[in-house]
Amino acid sequence: MDVRGDIIKNLLNAPGHISTDRVIYALFLCLTPEELGNLYTDSLNTATTIRNLAKKHILKRMEECGINPFIPFIDRLFSLLETVEGRQKTSISVLLYELINYLPSNYVTKLFDMLIDSPRKSDRKRAYTVPNLIWSEERKDKLWQKWNEYHEDECLFVLIQLAEVDSLLPLFKEIWESETISRSTKNKLLARLAKPYFEAIAYLRATHPISYLYGAVIAGKNLSQAEAVKLALCAETRNEFEFALWCLGKLQQWDAIMEINGQLPQLEREFEKRRRAFYGLE
């Protein structure tokens, strides 16, 4: 470790005074990018406190000065990833991920490739947040590969955002009926497909009427007042009902909303009855 890094380490380990923390902070401000990088890597095996302080100052310095003074440090981190394991590997990958907005695209690509092929789900989840920065056919193919391998919600969410809509259409029914995919991700897919392929989601009218209503909003469909009311009244919970009202508003269904408003006392009693039954309160 650099001599100045040793001094900071000794101050952290020694009994302190009231202003010792401020002294240490001021000393960190004096360190060069090279010294900060050395302090971080040299503490990978030792105290967490000094490593976290070094990371904090590295992030702050990059915010002020940019990435260029830290390129040798970044290169060293990538080299270390090839040799370390366990907590050290996790610490480095997390730091690189936190630096993602400062990294040149070639480094972002390198980080993505490293994280996406990791056997650890936590690494892959970080990778899934990166492709929008480096989107390409290669990245897309890699994500489809990981989706087919792991069927992870986070991977699908990125594909829904970035992949061609035609490639998503064949997956709709399978994904919609999946018990492992979150409702928010399903709705994201519905929103992506509803306008160009409304006929593909039209079967939801019979099975998931509120979702069909949402699809109609996205696609800008005109519904009759009778159909709009019928769909909205299929809501099984208060949350679904309130979402259905939002859909009717977006569809400019004034008369349908007023018709439903006349039924509010009865509807709210029914929702409360269902809620109490669900929680065993009856």
Side-chain angles (χ1 to χ4, degrees):
M1 186 181 293
D2 296 323
V3 172
R4 298 207 296 184
D6 280 329
I7 291 172
I8 291 176
K9 182 178 179 181
N10 291 335
L11 285 171
L12 282 167
N13 293 329
H17 302 285
I18 293 175
S19 297
T20 296
D21 286 347
R22 303 312 300 168
V23 168
I24 291 171
Y25 185 89
L27 289 174
F28 264 106
L29 296 177
C30 296
L31 297 182
T32 65
E34 181 181 3
E35 288 173 319
L36 284 171
N38 290 341
L39 193 57
Y40 178 85
T41 54
D42 290 341
S43 63
L44 282 169
N45 281 323
T46 55
T48 303
T49 300
I50 194 165
R51 185 168 68 252
N52 287 340
L53 285 171
K55 180 170 79 169
K56 175 182 175 181
H57 283 272
I58 288 169
L59 288 165
K60 183 65 175 176
R61 195 74 63 86
M62 280 192 189
E63 182 181 333
E64 295 171 349
C65 305
I67 189 70
N68 287 341
F70 289 92
I71 288 297
F73 169 62
I74 300 299
D75 288 334
R76 190 165 10 132
L77 291 180
F78 276 108
S79 296
L80 284 170
L81 280 174
E82 299 175 3
T83 59
V84 299
E85 295 295 339
R87 291 182 179 179
Q88 293 181 57
K89 194 179 191 76
T90 300
S91 295
I92 294 172
S93 63
V94 168
L95 175 57
L96 286 169
Y97 178 73
E98 292 178 357
L99 299 176
I100 197 75
N101 290 323
Y102 301 103
L103 297 178
S105 60
N106 59 317
Y107 285 89
V108 176
T109 298
K110 190 173 183 178
L111 180 61
F112 172 83
D113 291 340
M114 181 270 295
L115 293 173
I116 198 70
D117 286 326
S118 172
R120 295 182 300 183
K121 184 174 181 177
S122 59
D123 283 339
R124 294 194 303 275
K125 285 178 69 174
R126 294 188 189 100
Y128 298 145
T129 68
V130 172
N132 62 304
L133 300 174
I134 50 167
W135 188 246
S136 67
E137 285 296 311
E138 185 178 354
R139 304 285 87 72
K140 181 186 69 175
D141 291 345
K142 176 65 76 170
L143 285 167
W144 279 120
Q145 175 190 332
K146 294 305 173 181
W147 163 250
N148 291 326
E149 186 175 353
Y150 295 106
H151 277 70
E152 290 172 333
D153 198 305
E154 299 86 355
C155 181
L156 177 61
F157 191 83
V158 178
L159 287 166
I160 290 170
Q161 289 180 305
L162 300 176
E164 298 88 346
V165 68
D166 291 356
S167 67
L168 300 167
L169 182 60
L171 298 175
F172 180 74
K173 194 165 186 178
E174 172 193 346
I175 290 169
W176 194 263
E177 295 173 357
S178 171
E179 296 182 358
T180 60
I181 302 300
S182 71
R183 174 60 63 183
S184 63
T185 299
K186 291 178 181 180
N187 284 337
K188 186 74 174 177
L189 179 58
L190 174 64
R192 187 86 196 278
L193 293 176
K195 191 168 185 177
Y197 293 111
F198 187 75
E199 68 280 0
I201 63 100
Y203 77 94
L204 295 177
R205 188 182 189 282
T207 60
H208 297 81
I210 306 303
S211 295
Y212 173 84
L213 192 59
Y214 177 55
V217 171
I218 300 299
K221 295 294 180 179
N222 292 319
L223 304 179
S224 69
Q225 179 181 334
E227 183 178 16
V229 171
K230 182 179 179 180
L231 289 168
L233 293 181
C234 289
E236 296 183 356
T237 66
R238 187 185 303 275
N239 284 342
E240 267 197 338
F241 174 66
E242 291 176 352
F243 179 64
L245 287 175
W246 175 86
C247 289
L248 294 186
K250 295 293 286 185
L251 290 169
Q252 301 296 298
Q253 288 282 345
W254 175 280
D255 292 334
I257 296 168
M258 292 305 298
E259 181 179 339
I260 291 172
N261 182 61
Q263 304 178 46
L264 276 186
Q266 176 186 345
L267 291 169
E268 290 181 348
R269 283 194 298 270
E270 183 61 30
F271 290 137
E272 179 61 17
K273 182 179 178 181
R274 291 176 188 173
R275 186 191 71 82
R276 293 180 66 82
F278 179 82
Y279 288 106
L281 301 175
E282 293 292 349

